[in-house]
């Protein structure tokens, strides 16, 4: 299911998805239509823009969060130009981090990357643009833990947020898996987080850390 106020973008996404074997059960232009369509069709995954009619603020994101609450079996991939902090953390934490993603339109450089993200989220994984994580982290009032991360640890954290395994991170950074494991341990220690064996829990842990900092904001 596709939800975006731009007709051209909706039709473009429909064409791409159908060309590569996906079935688009609905294509809608506002948040209300999205909620109605999800109730009626229960898609495997909904690709949702953030700013939609009538207010063009965070209607799509709020609708996505409602979908995750009312239909937790429906995966949601946010595809937007904006990082909206208001409901982003709630959405990314929903379902313990399973079946959720947040990509920035202008950073999706390859069709294959988008299709991979759709498939990963639909299968219960995560797909979070590193820039989304960076912006959420940089909005924290208390940056002490983040500031202690080395540039390499920041790279590893961004790849963790994308849902990549230690082996996949090692291949991207061209280092050993043992080196990645050490970096992951350092990240958890510096951010005062307990490591987990499950990939989606690693992403959720980082997002919960962000939420802990949000509670201290005025």
């Amino acid at each position: 299911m596709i939800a975006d106020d731009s007709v051209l973008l909706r039709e473009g996404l429909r064409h791409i998805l159908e060309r590569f074997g996906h079935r688009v059960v609905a294509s809608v232009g506002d948040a209300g239509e999205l909620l109605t369509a999800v109730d009626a069709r229960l898609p495997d995954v909904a690709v949702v823009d953030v700013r939609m009619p009538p207010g063009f603020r965070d209607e799509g994101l709020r609708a996505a969060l409602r979908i995750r609450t009312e239909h937790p079996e429906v995966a949601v991939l946010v595809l937007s130009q904006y990082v909206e902090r208001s409901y982003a953390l709630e959405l990314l934490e929903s379902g313990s981090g399973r079946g959720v993603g947040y990509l920035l339109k202008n950073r999706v450089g390859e069709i294959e990357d988008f299709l991979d993200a759709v498939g990963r989220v639909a299968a219960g994984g995560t797909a979070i643009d590193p820039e989304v994580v960076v912006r959420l982290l940089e909005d924290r009032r208390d940056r002490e833990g983040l500031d202690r991360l080395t540039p390499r640890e920041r790279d590893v954290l961004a790849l963790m947020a994308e849902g990549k395994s230690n082996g996949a991170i090692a291949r991207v950074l061209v280092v050993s898996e043992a080196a990645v494991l050490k970096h992951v341990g350092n990240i958890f220690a510096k951010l005062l987080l307990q490591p987990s064996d499950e990939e989606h829990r690693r992403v959720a842990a980082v997002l919960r850390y962000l939420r802990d900092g949000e509670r201290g904001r005025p």
Side-chain angles (χ1 to χ4, degrees):
M1 187 170 293
I2 302 168
D4 195 292
D5 64 286
S6 169
V7 175
L8 290 178
L9 182 59
R10 290 203 309 268
E11 290 306 305
L13 290 176
R14 176 195 287 274
H15 175 74
I16 290 171
L17 289 167
E18 291 181 342
R19 176 185 171 193
F20 287 90
H22 297 281
R23 184 166 65 94
V24 178
V25 296
S27 178
V28 300
D30 65 55
E33 291 179 340
L34 169 62
L35 292 172
T36 299
V38 168
D39 287 342
R41 306 300 297 271
L42 289 179
D44 295 320
V45 59
V47 180
V48 182
D49 192 11
V50 167
R51 298 185 179 180
M52 300 178 69
F56 291 97
R57 292 192 293 262
D58 56 11
E59 289 84 353
L61 198 54
R62 286 189 283 117
L65 184 58
R66 181 171 164 183
I67 291 168
R68 294 286 285 171
T69 301
E70 297 180 355
H71 303 291
E73 72 277 17
V74 176
V76 171
L77 175 61
V78 172
L79 182 63
S80 179
Q81 298 179 30
Y82 311 99
V83 179
E84 284 290 346
R85 188 172 181 82
S86 55
Y87 293 96
L89 296 178
E90 289 93 331
L91 178 66
L92 294 175
E93 288 174 344
S94 64
S96 297
R98 288 185 179 275
V100 66
Y102 199 133
L103 301 181
L104 297 177
K105 291 177 180 177
N106 63 342
R107 285 174 50 83
V108 180
E110 301 290 339
I111 290 176
E112 290 78 9
D113 294 338
F114 169 69
L115 293 170
D116 177 69
V118 171
R120 194 186 320 155
V121 169
T126 58
I128 305 174
D129 190 296
E131 183 66 21
V132 172
V133 176
V134 168
R135 293 187 195 178
L136 291 175
L137 284 168
E138 289 181 345
D139 278 347
R140 275 186 48 82
R141 193 173 181 215
D142 175 13
R143 292 174 46 86
E144 183 178 354
L146 179 63
D147 288 342
R148 288 200 298 267
L149 298 183
T150 67
R152 177 60 79 185
E153 288 165 355
R154 286 171 177 261
D155 292 340
V156 172
L157 178 60
L159 292 168
M160 283 169 55
E162 291 183 77
K164 286 183 168 56
S165 66
N166 288 346
I169 293 172
R171 290 190 291 274
V172 171
L173 298 180
V174 195
V175 297
S176 70
E177 193 165 343
V180 172
L181 187 61
K182 181 178 179 180
H183 289 313
V184 170
N186 290 340
I187 290 168
F188 280 121
K190 292 177 181 180
L191 300 186
L192 304 179
L193 298 168
Q194 293 300 318
S196 170
D197 293 331
E198 301 177 61
E199 293 298 319
H200 77 277
R201 295 292 292 178
R202 302 199 309 177
V203 177
V206 173
L207 294 167
R208 280 199 299 273
Y209 169 73
L210 294 170
R211 173 158 297 290
D212 289 342
E214 186 70 8
R215 294 192 187 103
R217 295 176 70 87

